[in-house]
Amino acid sequence: METKDMMMTSMLTMDKGENEGERDKGREEVVGEEDGIQQENGRLMLADGLADRGPKNLTSSSGQQVSNGFTTSTPQSPREGPGSAACSGSTASGPGGGTGSSVPLAGLRTLVVQQTSLERPRETWSKKMDFLLSVIGYAVDLGNVWRFPYICYQNGGGAFLLPYLLMAVFGGVPLFYMELALGQFHRSGCISIWKHICPIFKGIGFAICIIALYIAFYYNTIMAWALYYLLSSFRPILPWTTCTNSWNTANCHRYMYTDHNVSWSNASTSPAEEFYTRQVLQVHLSPGLHQLGSVSWQLALCLLFIFTIVYFSIWKGVKTSGKVVWVTATFPYLVLLVLLIRGATLPGAWRGVVFYLKPDWEKLLSTPVWIDAAAQIFFSLGPGFGVLLAFASYNPFHNNCYKDALVTSSVNCLTSFLSGFVIFTVLGYMAEMRKQDVSAVAKDAGPSLLFIIYAEAIANMPAATFFSIIFFLMIIMLGLDSTFAGLEGVITAMLDEFPHVLAKRREWFVFGLVCVCYLGALSTLTYGGAFVVKLFEEYATGPAVITVVLLEVIAVSWFYGTNRFCNDIQLMLGFYPGCFWRVCWVAICPCFLLFIIISFLAFPPEVRLFNYHYPPWTTVLGYCIGVSSFICVPAYMVYHLLNAKGTFKQVQRFL
């Protein structure tokens, strides 16, 4: 490395009259061989930005280092950071310092062009809208439809919007913007990006991939349930409207809008509830997590079909998935609009809207309300899953990711708010029909709100078959977008980390990854699979991903440095991030994430599903699964320190 630096410095400090012809010749050869790289290769465009539009302070003799891994005084390849430094911000003479004289930017520009032109151009999005729809489709998922409306009415209705917006402005959106900027500048997945930022934290990338796999194990099962409902909807009479089926019990009470003499009691169960629990899930055949039972072959086939769609949508990269999202990301909005219009015309719809938005200002004094707001905005926008890094890495280098972050995060929050009207107009109709309060109808959270309450409401509407088909098709579309994104985050990370092994075998790698996800999801397809889904969602993935993102924002803001990160953004976008964003990245976002983690530990959720209370050993099991994902962060730190050259200096610089 030292020899290479000496050679590079020697090349750049030669007499201008001697090497001018060689540099021009090299530039002509590069342009002739790879004419389109400047639009696709972010490193090359960075070199042009340094000469044409870079900030003036980067040309000073202070030796300030640009985050791509080279300084103005000791030039380096943008793909190569100091080999013995714990973070890429450290050079041979110490952080932020340089030992050589200032090198003209023209020489640096020539060197970068000659080196980066030898690299394989990175794939890019076909259109800007492909990227925007992919990000929106990832952020807008099933949680927007069921989790936000439920949490909103549970935590003060309209008053909940205040802590929700505050948490979005000071926590969610800055993290969202940070990941888009990181991915676009370094053009790397969540693993290899750390060699440009701070190599000792590379374990964060591996942790993100493991968490993404855990999510794939249970998230796609919900789409399999929706597919089962979709296939069951192609009949004149929906199967969850009658109590004469083989799975029904004596407590089943049929409730149709034409029935006026049926009395509803606390012991009554609806046909929709029994169809969901006894026919789709068959949860009555499993006593709990200690005895899950057999795999449901119907759900296994449904999940196989879901993963088949996923594979052929992402196997070729963002060129294909960017086209699929034009359907999967836009269709749900059309369905939401249709269902909103239909729900608003139902009798009693106003009761649901009032219940949804009626503010209870006293609840703002309750800590759990702020905890729910922070957790909801975090999981809704979805930083920390490696997806935003992967998607942004395929953008042109000078793409305005700042505007993208504001637009997509705003669309996500507005979609959540709109979904509340779609859900609660129907809940008001159900309360009017049952002659109950809306709170009694909306007692179920999570998927039950969709597969029981909303399914029953659809069954009571005229043209029930049509509305059932489009509703469950919407659920599948919402889930597919997030699955595409989650797996693409893992694929991009692995291909960038092992390009020589996987770059030409992408289709086979994606096939193997999908097979692993399907096999890992088999436990969620058993009779007790719903218990496994709840365990993964509450304990195994939630706390783990928040912990990983906390480590990520600390590594970027404190170790890599906010000033260096802001310089990167200025090179890309032409403007320096304002004081608000810098304060959020340095202090507010870490406090925001730490608040969620401490609150979760201080007030652990009481997990219950279908009258099954999770025993203490299941909580321990869930935490162990979560810890198994981010344990690789400290493990890689130890590995990096012990195997790097000059171990003592590594430890000294890290401390």
Side-chain angles (χ1 to χ4, degrees):
M1 182 64 190
E2 294 178 356
T3 304
K4 185 177 180 180
D5 286 343
M6 293 176 61
M7 294 176 62
M8 292 163 62
T9 306
S10 176
M11 290 173 59
L12 291 172
T13 55
M14 290 175 61
D15 182 74
K16 182 177 180 180
E18 293 180 10
N19 59 9
E20 186 67 25
E22 295 179 2
R23 290 188 302 179
D24 293 340
K25 182 179 178 180
R27 183 180 300 275
E28 292 173 359
E29 291 176 356
V30 169
V31 174
E33 292 176 0
E34 302 190 12
D35 190 31
I37 291 182
Q38 290 195 11
Q39 297 299 324
E40 297 181 358
N41 194 321
R43 299 286 190 267
L44 181 57
M45 298 190 71
L46 170 62
D48 292 337
L50 278 170
D52 299 334
R53 55 184 294 181
K56 293 182 179 180
N57 61 347
L58 290 178
T59 63
S60 65
S61 59
S62 61
Q64 183 176 2
Q65 186 176 25
V66 186
S67 62
N68 265 9
F70 55 89
T71 64
T72 57
S73 60
T74 56
Q76 291 178 311
S77 166
R79 285 285 187 184
E80 184 177 316
S84 62
C87 291
S88 63
S90 300
T91 62
S93 62
T99 58
S101 60
S102 179
V103 176
L105 285 177
L108 176 60
R109 181 180 181 180
T110 302
L111 177 62
V112 174
V113 169
Q114 289 176 346
Q115 289 195 353
T116 57
S117 64
L118 298 178
E119 298 175 2
R120 183 180 180 181
R122 188 174 184 83
E123 183 181 14
T124 57
W125 298 96
S126 299
K127 298 179 181 178
K128 176 66 175 289
M129 282 301 299
D130 292 357
F131 166 71
L132 292 178
L133 289 176
S134 296
V135 174
I136 291 173
Y138 160 68
V140 179
D141 64 351
L142 300 177
N144 293 75
V145 179
W146 80 60
R147 187 179 290 113
F148 177 83
Y150 179 82
I151 291 179
C152 187
Y153 95 80
Q154 189 182 43
N155 292 288
F160 176 76
L161 297 178
L162 177 61
Y164 178 78
L165 291 177
L166 288 177
M167 292 297 178
V169 171
F170 291 99
V173 177
L175 291 172
F176 197 87
Y177 177 27
M178 183 189 75
E179 288 213 346
L180 287 183
L182 283 173
Q184 182 171 305
F185 184 83
H186 296 288
R187 301 179 68 81
S188 300
C190 61
I191 296 178
S192 58
I193 194 174
W194 290 101
K195 69 183 179 182
H196 308 299
I197 300 177
C198 194
I200 201 170
F201 285 103
K202 195 174 184 179
I204 293 176
F206 292 104
I208 290 173
C209 292
I210 296 174
I211 293 172
L213 287 179
Y214 287 163
I215 294 175
F217 289 166
Y218 75 87
Y219 188 83
N220 297 281
T221 300
I222 301 175
M223 284 188 288
W225 300 344
L227 180 59
Y228 192 102
Y229 269 84
L230 177 64
L231 297 176
S232 302
S233 300
F234 288 95
R235 59 186 67 183
I237 300 178
L238 299 177
W240 56 87
T241 59
T242 62
C243 292
T244 58
N245 303 289
S246 59
W247 59 81
N248 293 125
T249 65
N251 292 329
C252 180
H253 284 75
R254 180 174 180 266
Y255 242 119
M256 296 294 291
Y257 64 94
T258 56
D259 299 329
H260 302 286
N261 299 322
V262 178
S263 59
W264 189 269
S265 65
N266 292 332
S268 301
T269 57
S270 65
E273 180 179 352
E274 294 196 349
F275 178 79
Y276 177 58
T277 58
R278 299 178 64 86
Q279 174 64 11
V280 180
L281 303 182
Q282 302 184 64
V283 71
H284 64 287
L285 300 178
S286 172
L289 283 171
H290 62 283
Q291 188 176 343
L292 295 177
S294 304
V295 174
S296 171
W297 65 268
Q298 299 98 325
L299 293 181
L301 290 179
C302 289
L303 186 62
L304 180 62
F305 182 76
I306 292 294
F307 271 118
T308 302
I309 296 177
V310 170
Y311 174 72
F312 286 106
S313 299
I314 65 176
W315 68 324
K316 292 292 185 181
V318 295
K319 295 292 186 182
T320 55
S321 63
K323 298 297 182 291
V324 176
V325 294
W326 280 82
V327 177
T328 57
T330 58
F331 180 78
Y333 286 96
L334 177 62
V335 176
L336 284 175
L337 181 61
V338 172
L339 293 176
L340 178 61
I341 296 173
R342 183 67 186 100
T345 60
L346 295 172
W350 64 271
R351 294 179 58 187
V353 174
V354 170
F355 187 81
Y356 173 48
L357 294 180
K358 183 179 179 181
D360 185 0
W361 300 107
E362 294 182 358
K363 288 210 170 184
L364 295 182
L365 302 176
S366 176
T367 303
V369 174
W370 295 86
I371 297 174
D372 287 343
Q376 172 61 27
I377 192 63
F378 175 81
F379 288 108
S380 180
L381 293 178
F385 294 91
V387 175
L388 300 177
L389 292 173
F391 281 172
S393 70
Y394 299 112
N395 276 333
F397 183 74
H398 293 298
N399 172 66
N400 193 343
C401 59
Y402 171 72
K403 181 179 178 181
D404 295 343
L406 295 181
V407 170
T408 52
S409 57
S410 299
V411 169
N412 175 73
C413 295
L414 291 175
T415 303
S416 298
F417 187 63
L418 173 65
S419 299
F421 288 97
V422 174
I423 296 297
F424 275 90
T425 53
V426 172
L427 293 181
Y429 165 65
M430 293 293 296
E432 181 80 11
M433 188 175 59
R434 290 185 180 180
K435 297 179 174 59
Q436 291 181 315
D437 292 334
V438 179
S439 59
V441 177
K443 62 183 179 179
D444 292 319
S448 299
L449 187 63
L450 303 179
F451 293 110
I452 297 178
I453 302 300
Y454 210 92
E456 182 180 355
I458 288 176
N460 282 275
M461 297 179 186
T465 299
F466 168 75
F467 286 108
S468 178
I469 291 174
I470 65 171
F471 176 73
F472 290 109
L473 191 59
M474 177 193 73
I475 298 299
I476 295 174
M477 296 289 185
L478 288 172
L480 284 175
D481 288 335
S482 298
T483 297
F484 296 160
L487 293 183
E488 185 59 51
V490 178
I491 295 167
T492 299
M494 299 304 292
L495 264 62
D496 287 345
E497 182 66 13
F498 309 103
H500 300 293
V501 179
L502 301 177
K504 296 182 180 180
R505 302 176 179 87
R506 177 187 171 98
E507 292 85 354
W508 287 106
F509 174 70
V510 175
F511 179 77
L513 179 64
V514 169
C515 290
V516 169
C517 293
Y518 182 80
L519 294 177
L522 288 179
S523 62
T524 65
L525 304 176
T526 58
Y527 299 146
F531 303 138
V532 180
V533 171
K534 191 71 172 179
L535 180 71
F536 268 102
E537 183 181 11
E538 293 291 342
Y539 289 112
T541 57
V545 73
I546 297 175
T547 304
V548 167
V549 177
L550 175 62
L551 295 175
E552 176 185 323
V553 72
I554 289 176
V556 173
S557 300
W558 298 358
F559 286 81
Y560 183 62
T562 304
N563 291 336
R564 187 178 291 116
F565 178 49
C566 291
N567 286 335
D568 297 346
I569 295 178
Q570 186 172 23
L571 288 172
M572 287 192 302
L573 308 183
F575 59 85
Y576 200 80
C579 180
F580 168 77
W581 300 106
R582 300 197 301 271
V583 172
C584 285
W585 291 327
V586 171
I588 297 179
C589 287
C591 293
F592 166 79
L593 296 168
L594 194 61
F595 169 72
I596 301 177
I597 295 174
I598 294 176
S599 301
F600 185 87
L601 296 176
F603 308 100
E606 181 183 356
V607 183
R608 181 178 62 87
L609 184 66
F610 304 136
N611 299 320
Y612 173 70
H613 293 270
Y614 285 68
W617 68 267
T618 60
T619 303
V620 176
L621 175 62
Y623 282 131
C624 289
I625 296 175
V627 171
S628 67
S629 60
F630 62 81
I631 196 66
C632 56
V633 177
Y636 188 85
M637 287 182 177
V638 175
Y639 170 82
H640 181 81
L641 292 174
L642 293 180
N643 288 275
K645 294 181 180 179
T647 304
F648 177 76
K649 293 182 179 180
Q650 284 280 63
V651 176
Q652 188 179 25
R653 287 172 179 168
F654 175 71
L655 296 178

